[in-house]
Amino acid sequence: MTDKKTNNENPADKQQSAANNTNKQGQASAKAQAPKPAPEKKPAPEKQEKAAQPAVPASQPSEKQGGSKTGAIAIALVIALGAGLYYHGHQQTLAQNNQMTALKQEISQLQSQLQSSLKTSQQETLSQVNSSLQRTETSIEQQDKSITGLQMALAEMKGRRPNDWLLAEADYLVKMAGRKLWLEHDTVSATILLESADHRIAELNDPSLTPIRQAMHTDITALKGVARVDRDGLVLRLTSLQEEIGKLPLANAILPEAEAVESTEISASVDDWKQNLKTSLKNFSDHFITYRQRDGSVIPLLTPKQDFYLQENIKSKLETAIKSVYREQGELYTTSLAMAKDWAEQFYNMEDPAVQSFISTLEALGQENIEADYPSKLQSQALITDTISERLRQQVKPLSTEENPA
């Protein structure tokens, strides 16, 4: 059998088949062009049968061998082409898988970014909503307060009685007394203000206000029992001491006592002239260069620079004591005056009257008490405030019922 496949043939096979075709055509044409021979005599029947059988071409075995080679080459080419196509397809599949993996990663990243952005946007939106709600609630509260204040003012103007201003004035005086007491620690002014408030309530002649008057008298008694500290007087005395520091004399150098030296006297007898001569020479030599031995510490005089620093330090301690008076810091006040007193006794002349007066004044001021126990609250203040609020509330209720009838 011969293969009819032409696409898988090699170029050499094609050339060989073409040559065979040309040879066959040449032979056919030669046969056609050859002159016809003369008619011969008919041979015998046996010879005619032999001549009628076609001749077998000699090239048939070679064509079979060429076809088998061509088929093997074609099969090899098909196998190589299939392997190449498989390899190419495998590589494309791997590339597509890598692309799909990268795309999946990008999609996951985009999803995470989208979720985070959504969360941040939701949080921002919630914060904005909460802030707007807070602002709205604050504005509503302010409006409620303003409405309540207007209602109270309207009720006060509508139903005010002639003596209500006395109660309001008493409330104002009690509040001023509390400010004087806690801000300035002025018990005298606070007591006077409470007494004035009590007089205003007494003018009302209202028995329902008796508990308020009783609380006021309790507060007045408590304020009068508080120890009064003359802070202004203490500060003025300390300031005068600061001005006197520059006039105080410094102490002289303190030297310890020298040892006693025995002195020899010259006798009046002439016979002792030799002894008197020796004594005179010895006294002359001893007094020519005097050497005295002293046991103890020596305190020298201060230099002008040291004197200036001493004065400034004492003034600083007195200034600290002045601040302690207003702040009611008793321990700091006493410590500052004690240090100033010690420095004055150490470096100033204690025999001078000015120094003695300065030190005695410091001792007297150091014994002063600058702290006091003030009451933490006034009982009358809460009572009078509640009374005024209750009266205004009673006046506001009928007003609201008239505006909004049931």
Side-chain angles (χ1 to χ4, degrees), residues 31-186:
K31 290 179 179 181
Q33 293 177 2
K36 294 180 178 181
E40 295 180 354
K41 292 180 179 180
K42 294 181 180 181
E46 294 178 357
K47 293 180 179 180
Q48 289 179 355
E49 290 178 359
K50 292 181 179 179
Q53 292 179 355
V56 178
S59 63
Q60 187 174 3
S62 63
E63 289 180 357
K64 289 182 180 180
Q65 291 178 358
S68 62
K69 290 181 180 179
T70 303
I73 292 171
I75 291 170
L77 288 174
V78 169
I79 293 171
L81 181 61
L85 291 174
Y86 174 75
Y87 178 75
H88 181 68
H90 181 65
Q91 293 295 327
Q92 287 184 349
T93 304
L94 292 177
Q96 290 177 357
N97 292 332
N98 293 330
Q99 291 179 358
M100 290 293 292
T101 305
L103 290 173
K104 288 180 180 179
Q105 291 178 355
E106 291 180 358
I107 291 170
S108 63
Q109 290 178 358
L110 291 173
Q111 289 178 351
S112 62
Q113 292 178 358
L114 181 60
Q115 290 177 358
S116 62
S117 63
L118 288 174
K119 288 181 180 178
T120 53
S121 62
Q122 288 177 358
Q123 292 177 356
E124 292 178 355
T125 306
L126 288 175
S127 62
Q128 292 178 359
V129 171
N130 291 330
S131 61
S132 62
L133 286 175
Q134 290 178 357
R135 289 195 297 269
T136 305
E137 291 176 356
T138 304
S139 62
I140 291 172
E141 290 178 357
Q142 292 177 355
Q143 290 177 0
D144 292 339
K145 290 180 180 179
S146 62
I147 291 171
T148 304
L150 291 173
Q151 288 180 351
M152 293 177 68
L154 182 60
E156 185 179 0
M157 293 177 63
K158 182 179 179 181
R160 180 178 295 175
R161 291 177 291 182
N163 293 330
D164 286 346
W165 65 273
L166 291 173
L167 186 60
E169 187 176 356
D171 182 36
Y172 173 76
L173 292 173
V174 172
K175 290 179 180 177
M176 287 299 297
R179 292 176 184 175
K180 283 286 184 181
L181 177 61
W182 296 311
L183 297 179
E184 302 177 12
H185 291 173
D186 188 358

Side-chain angles (χ1 to χ4, degrees), residues 367-381:
Q367 296 176 359
E368 293 288 341
N369 184 20
I370 63 172
E371 295 180 350
D373 187 11
Y374 300 100
S376 60
K377 63 179 181 179
L378 297 176
Q379 298 180 6
S380 58
Q381 185 173 0

Side-chain angles (χ1 to χ4, degrees), residues 163 166-167 170 194-207 209-210 212-213 216-217 384:
N163 293 330
L166 291 173
L167 186 60
L194 287 177
E195 290 176 350
S196 300
D198 182 60
H199 293 317
R200 299 295 189 279
I201 295 176
E203 292 179 1
L204 292 174
N205 196 15
D206 189 352
L209 302 177
T210 302
I212 297 176
R213 294 194 63 190
M216 282 185 180
H217 284 287
I384 193 171

